[in-house]
């Protein structure tokens, strides 16, 4: 069965990304077409790139890098949950992506973003970065507004209309994750 990681792309205090990711996981768990797992970047405590060799070499020397590589390698697809900071994604998520190389190849990705404009610019940057790593990103995207989907900018209260978009995105991620499987073997 296709394995999909729902990656919490924020690590800061007071983050709302965990609530968003739990909502994604709750709805995804109702599906029967894949296994979904929450993956929290906070659990990996990745410092700013500290490997001596470029990730493309696959020669990871640090225990935290090897643990992160093992986790990422075990998935067929990803749903990245990201806020938008300064028209981009978080430094923590970009750093986590940059730590690895081959572990990302020939997998699928979807996005759930949030921000004043739905986090769409963060996703545009992620699409560019992931394309370089041979990750196929799907078209459907959930874009949450901090003005309408969060009470007082902190309590997550998604509009009901987002559920249909989320299910479309999940279906695309699972289908692409399955379609790319022959390239991963």
């Amino acid at each position: 069965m296709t394995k999909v990681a729902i990656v919490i792309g924020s690590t800061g205090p007071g983050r709302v990304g965990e609530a968003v990711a739990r909502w994604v996981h709750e709805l995804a768990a109702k599906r029967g077409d894949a296994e979904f797992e929450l993956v929290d970047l906070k659990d990996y405590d990745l410092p700013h790139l500290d490997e001596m060799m470029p990730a493309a070499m696959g020669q990871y020397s640090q225990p935290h890098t090897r643990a992160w590589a093992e986790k990422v390698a075990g998935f067929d697809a990803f749903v990245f949950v990201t806020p938008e900071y300064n028209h981009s994604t978080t430094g923590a998520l970009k750093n986590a992506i940059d730590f690895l190389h081959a572990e990302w190849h020939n997998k699928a990705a979807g996005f759930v973003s949030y921000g004043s404009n739905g986090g769409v610019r963060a996703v545009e940057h992620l699409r560019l970065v992931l394309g370089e790593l041979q990750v196929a990103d799907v078209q459907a995207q959930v874009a949450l507004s901090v003005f309408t989907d969060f009470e007082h900018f902190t309590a997550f209260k998604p509009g009901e209309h987002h559920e249909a978009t989320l299910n479309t995105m999940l279906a695309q991620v699972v289908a692409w994750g399955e379609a790319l499987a022959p390239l991963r073997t």
Side-chain angles (χ1 to χ4, degrees):
M1 184 168 281
T2 301
K3 293 183 70 175
V4 180
I6 300 167
V7 180
I8 305 172
S10 60
T11 59
R15 67 184 178 157
V16 296
E18 185 174 359
V20 175
R22 290 194 183 285
W23 170 75
V24 172
H25 187 259
E26 179 182 307
L27 293 173
K30 295 177 183 177
R31 305 172 61 88
D33 56 353
E35 293 177 25
F36 296 91
E37 181 182 331
L38 280 174
V39 175
D40 193 341
L41 293 182
K42 282 181 81 169
D43 295 339
Y44 292 88
D45 197 27
L46 297 169
H48 190 67
L49 290 175
D50 65 345
E51 288 287 342
M52 292 298 295
M53 299 297 289
M57 302 299 289
Q59 298 175 11
Y60 307 132
S61 63
Q62 301 295 332
H64 53 261
T65 308
R66 289 193 297 271
W68 179 234
E70 182 179 343
K71 178 55 90 174
V72 170
F75 292 103
D76 305 301
F78 305 90
V79 173
F80 293 100
V81 176
T82 183
E84 181 176 311
Y85 294 160
N86 300 317
H87 291 204
S88 191
T89 191
T90 66
L93 179 54
K94 176 66 166 72
N95 186 54
I97 292 168
D98 288 346
F99 254 93
L100 308 177
H101 191 74
E103 293 80 4
W104 299 113
H105 289 184
N106 301 312
K107 297 180 181 182
F111 307 96
V112 176
S113 58
Y114 53 96
S116 59
N117 290 311
V120 297
R121 294 169 294 209
V123 170
E124 289 307 311
H125 285 179
L126 284 171
R127 289 181 194 278
L128 291 170
V129 170
L130 293 170
E132 176 63 21
L133 292 168
Q134 300 178 61
V135 176
D137 57 279
V138 302
Q139 184 272 333
Q141 171 188 340
V142 179
L144 304 163
S145 170
V146 293
F147 298 109
T148 59
D149 295 306
F150 294 84
E151 188 174 282
H152 305 293
F153 303 100
T154 56
F156 182 50
K157 309 273 185 180
E160 290 181 23
H161 63 283
H162 291 301
E163 190 170 334
T165 307
L166 176 61
N167 277 313
T168 297
M169 183 268 293
L170 291 172
Q172 290 175 359
V173 166
V174 171
W176 284 34
E178 290 172 357
L180 292 167
L183 298 177
R184 290 191 299 274
T185 56

